[in-house]
């Protein structure tokens, strides 16, 4: 590790990754935003899914001030965040064949909807099956993953494929295999993961572009305002009423 405090070096690494994503994923961001805007204007619903820490980025775009009100969290027990006990159970569940199909079977997803699937490695059975099965059902899929894993790891799905192989649009987070940006002679393992920072920024860039795309088409984007500003609750109540058939986190 070169000169500089660990904090400085982590910020430098995160900023470098964000710049790479901005420059190298610009076309994919536009394509993903267009897909989401098309889904909104055609009456479809929007969902986001991630397991373990990948769920943090999914949660970040749901019921969020400044975000699209139509983005819903696709969740299942033991898969959202690290709240399951023991936490290692979540990692085991990601490798269970058939679990993704069970989640979809009991979800409100229907043909014409869009699903954002976030998985850093994209190698486990859950995200691969989720993407393949969702597309089979007529759902458009946006995958957010590190493409490097497909070249440097072995798939854990029976097909030998990865999340990236079953998506309409792939957004590459550029995160190196292992998700640790720093090394230090006095520490025996790499440390300081940046995937949450980068993936969340990538998704917010997509949704910002989605909102602008809708506006360019003459459609007011269904955005939420903060409940901590005057008039925020009244604004959100109007949006909730107008789109009540496409918002599931209120039910």
């Amino acid at each position: 590790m070169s000169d500089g405090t660990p904090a400085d070096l982590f910020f430098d690494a995160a900023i470098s990754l964000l710049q790479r994503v901005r420059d190298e994923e610009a076309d994919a961001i536009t394509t993903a935003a267009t897909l989401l805007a098309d889904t909104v204007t055609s009456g479809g619903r929007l969902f986001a899914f991630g397991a373990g820490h990948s769920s943090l980025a999914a949660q970040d775009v749901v019921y969020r001030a400044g975000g699209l009100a139509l983005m819903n969290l696709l969740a299942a027990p033991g898969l959202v965040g690290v709240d399951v006990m023991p936490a290692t159970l979540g990692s085991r569940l990601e490798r269970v064949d058939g679990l993704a199909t069970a989640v979809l079977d009991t979800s409100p997803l229907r043909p014409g909807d869009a699903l954002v699937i976030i998985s850093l490695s994209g190698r486990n059975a859950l995200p691969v099956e989720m993407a393949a099965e969702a597309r089979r059902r007529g759902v458009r899929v946006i995958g957010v993953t590190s493409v490097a894993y497909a070249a440097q790891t072995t798939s854990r799905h029976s097909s030998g494929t990865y999340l990236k192989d079953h998506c309409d649009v792939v957004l590459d987070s550029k995160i190196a295999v292992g998700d640790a940006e720093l090394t230090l002679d006095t520490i025996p393992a790499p440390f300081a993961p940046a995937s949450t920072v980068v993936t969340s920024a990538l998704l917010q860039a997509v949704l910002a572009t989605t909102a602008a795309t809708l506006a360019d088409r003459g459609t007011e984007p269904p955005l939420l305002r903060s409940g901590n500003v005057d008039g925020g609750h009244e604004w959100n109540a109007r949006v909730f009423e107008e789109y009540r058939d496409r918002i599931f986190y209120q039910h």
Side-chain angles (χ1 to χ4, degrees):
M1 194 163 69
S2 59
D3 293 338
T5 69
D8 289 340
L9 294 170
F10 177 77
F11 281 123
D12 288 343
I15 291 167
S16 178
L17 283 164
L18 289 170
Q19 289 174 330
R20 282 192 64 197
V21 167
R22 179 193 63 189
D23 296 340
E24 298 174 19
E25 296 301 297
D27 290 344
I29 289 170
T30 299
T31 301
T34 300
L35 187 156
L36 294 180
D38 290 345
T39 302
V40 172
T41 55
S42 65
R45 292 89 59 81
L46 309 180
F47 296 85
F49 173 84
H53 286 97
S54 290
S55 180
L56 298 177
Q59 294 178 64
D60 189 53
V61 296
V62 175
Y63 186 47
R64 185 66 189 264
L68 287 178
L70 304 190
M71 187 61 75
N72 300 279
L73 185 68
L74 182 62
L79 299 177
V80 180
V82 291
D83 58 334
V84 63
M85 292 296 291
T88 51
L89 174 60
S91 298
R92 297 288 294 273
L93 290 175
E94 290 186 66
R95 305 178 189 182
V96 174
D97 289 335
L99 180 56
T101 297
V103 172
L104 290 172
D105 283 345
T106 54
S107 79
L109 274 160
R110 67 187 184 191
D113 291 346
L115 172 61
V116 179
I117 301 177
I118 304 150
S119 173
L120 177 60
S121 73
R123 69 187 296 221
N124 288 313
L126 181 65
V128 176
E129 179 187 333
M130 179 78 71
E133 182 63 19
R135 290 183 82 192
R136 191 186 69 78
R137 299 176 186 216
V139 174
R140 304 293 298 280
V141 174
I142 297 170
V144 187
T145 187
S146 171
V147 173
Y149 276 83
Q152 301 178 43
T153 67
T154 302
S155 171
R156 290 184 174 136
H157 188 259
S158 57
S159 67
T161 61
Y162 297 79
L163 170 60
K164 73 175 185 65
D165 299 317
H166 303 279
C167 300
D168 296 282
V169 184
V170 175
L171 298 167
D172 184 2
S173 63
K174 316 295 182 182
I175 300 296
V177 173
D179 192 19
E181 294 300 320
L182 303 183
T183 59
L184 197 62
D185 291 343
T186 55
I187 299 178
F191 61 104
S195 60
T196 303
V197 173
V198 176
T199 302
S200 292
L202 185 51
L203 281 177
Q204 292 295 352
V206 170
L207 292 183
T209 307
T210 302
T213 301
L214 288 169
D216 288 343
R217 296 177 179 180
T219 298
E220 179 185 331
L223 297 171
L224 294 174
R225 300 194 69 179
S226 171
N228 296 313
V229 300
D230 291 342
H233 289 300
E234 292 76 14
W235 173 283
N236 292 341
R238 175 182 65 83
V239 174
F240 289 152
E241 175 60 25
E242 182 175 352
Y243 291 96
R244 63 185 181 277
D245 60 331
R246 293 197 257 175
I247 297 174
F248 296 91
Y249 49 81
Q250 284 193 296
H251 300 169

